[in-house]
Amino acid sequence: MVDTLAGLGMARTPPPRKSSATEFPSLRSVARSLGVSVTSVWQVAHNPQTNKVGAELSRRIRAGLGCCDGGDLEVGVCLPQDIARAGGPWAADVLLGLILAAGTSGAMLVVAGAEHWRRPQWRRSVQGLIRLADATPLSRPGLPCVCIGSRQPGQDAVVPDHVEGMAKAVAALHALGHRRIAFVACHDDPHGAPALVERLAGWRSAMRAIGVANPDPLACLIPASGPTAQRAGGAFRVLARRWRGDAARPTAAIAFNDLQASTLRSACAAEGLPCPQAISLIGFDGWKQFADLSSVCIDYLAAGQGALELLRRRLSGPVSPTEQIIRLPCRLVLKGSVGPPPPGSEESPNRIPGHALLATMCKR
């Protein structure tokens, strides 16, 4: 079953943060009120799964600290082993969304790396598990698990609507007169990464919708055997050099993500193809550090809200026999990296309906 946040009656952005005037109990005040040592309170505060205090005392300390008690939802959050590589800048937005959603719903989050969640005692301590990106699959019989950012067979997931995002990007470029719109990706698994597979499928579908029956010759999938950013730099220079001498080269390209779009822009500029005068570029994900790059932006803050909602569904009602999927909406933001095709490169007088259409698509 596939849902959107709107279909669940949920806002696209998380609730506002609590006032900074909110006072939190100190370790010393909780210890004094319960008649226990500060060390015991510290152990529970820093490791809710500690076995150094009894279960009943641990519950009372967590309640004193303002954490959930046994009647609330305790959720584990499993981080990728290499979060900088697998999660990228969006991981921070996902974690912030989880924290805000948990604070509003009364859930308690236990955030740790995959090496901790491999231990059975950790998995037994929570009612559900949320995995970020390609964190190691972990399970136990009866433990609901939700993936954020990627999909695993048989598990619920919150993922970007890659097809919708690609459709908006291709439609915007086509509205400006582009038809030779390439899809460019440098990835260590160019044929099996779920996000890459879905974005490629979305690009193909959108290209066929504008009348390009066989878009595959415009797909540039580059395998990366080392650090993706380093491999992409050299590979994109070779690609841009090939484009420079090709009269039928693409006049626009959509990259797998914003980092690769920025790298491709530098490579094209070095080969005499400035952006957007010679080629228009759009990235994916909406990373904030690329302020002047057009991009398909994803509301990753809302991912935490959706993941907690899927866990509550699994715990509170009849279990669906199939995985449940929530699609995060995408918003196209056009900036200085997009323009019309170079003069003489395309016959496009009938494909430029004006900026009103682009403005409408950007607001969706």
Side-chain angles (χ1 to χ4, degrees):
M1 182 174 70
V2 179
D3 278 314
T4 62
L5 296 180
L8 295 172
M10 294 163 26
R12 289 181 57 174
T13 55
R17 304 184 191 190
K18 295 182 179 180
S19 168
S20 59
T22 302
E23 295 185 1
F24 296 94
S26 67
L27 300 184
R28 190 176 300 278
S29 66
V30 172
R32 186 183 301 113
S33 66
L34 296 177
V36 300
S37 68
V38 175
T39 300
S40 295
V41 178
W42 183 90
Q43 288 172 339
V44 173
H46 289 77
N47 182 10
Q49 284 72 42
T50 182
N51 56 8
K52 295 182 179 180
V53 302
E56 176 59 23
L57 178 57
S58 177
R59 186 195 65 78
R60 290 168 55 203
I61 291 174
R62 294 204 315 274
L65 290 170
C67 303
C68 64
D69 57 27
D72 290 322
L73 185 62
E74 297 193 35
V75 178
V77 180
C78 182
L79 303 178
Q81 186 171 359
D82 185 355
I83 190 169
R85 175 180 176 276
W90 67 268
D93 283 345
V94 171
L95 286 173
L96 177 58
L98 278 169
I99 292 169
L100 294 174
T104 301
S105 64
M108 175 183 175
L109 299 179
V110 182
V111 182
E115 65 276 9
H116 293 285
W117 293 112
R118 293 191 185 99
R119 304 170 187 169
Q121 63 269 28
W122 278 70
R123 298 198 297 273
R124 286 195 298 267
S125 67
V126 296
Q127 297 164 268
L129 192 64
I130 294 175
R131 293 176 43 234
L132 266 64
D134 60 354
T136 304
L138 300 165
S139 64
R140 77 160 201 258
L143 178 67
C145 183
V146 176
C147 307
I148 293 181
S150 64
R151 293 180 59 182
Q152 294 292 333
Q155 289 188 349
D156 298 339
V158 180
V159 295
D161 194 335
H162 302 290
V163 173
E164 177 201 34
M166 277 295 172
K168 289 183 176 181
V170 170
L173 291 169
H174 184 245
L176 286 170
H178 297 276
R179 275 181 58 84
R180 296 196 295 271
I181 304 169
F183 176 70
V184 180
C186 184
H187 202 283
D188 54 7
D189 186 9
H191 301 290
L196 179 55
V197 169
E198 291 195 22
R199 289 179 188 180
L200 179 59
W203 169 80
R204 283 177 175 142
S205 176
M207 290 294 287
R208 293 186 181 110
I210 66 171
V212 180
N214 180 25
D216 284 355
L218 292 167
C220 304
L221 304 181
I222 303 168
S225 58
T228 304
Q230 297 177 14
R231 295 282 297 180
F236 288 171
R237 282 290 297 270
V238 174
L239 180 63
R241 194 173 301 125
R242 190 184 74 191
W243 283 351
R244 184 186 59 188
D246 186 357
R249 65 171 176 82
T251 60
I254 303 171
F256 174 66
N257 59 32
D258 291 332
L259 177 59
Q260 294 190 23
S262 178
T263 304
L264 180 59
R265 177 171 56 182
S266 299
C268 287
E271 295 298 327
L273 297 174
C275 171
Q277 294 83 1
I279 187 167
S280 292
L281 295 175
I282 295 180
F284 218 102
D285 289 332
W287 293 0
K288 297 178 179 63
Q289 62 265 47
F290 301 110
D292 59 342
L293 181 68
S294 300
S295 182
V296 177
C297 300
I298 301 166
D299 190 3
Y300 282 116
L301 279 173
Q305 190 179 9
L308 287 176
E309 174 61 24
L310 288 180
L311 283 180
R312 289 190 182 278
R313 283 185 183 181
R314 288 290 180 187
L315 293 168
S316 63
V319 179
S320 170
T322 60
E323 66 266 22
Q324 302 178 85
I325 308 297
I326 290 180
R327 298 281 185 184
L328 296 174
C330 296
R331 181 172 57 94
L332 178 63
V333 177
L334 296 180
K335 298 180 182 177
S337 64
V338 166
S345 62
E346 302 237 3
E347 295 181 4
S348 55
N350 297 324
R351 296 194 182 95
I352 307 179
H355 291 285
L357 175 60
L358 297 181
T360 300
M361 287 190 290
C362 291
K363 292 178 181 177
R364 290 178 187 173

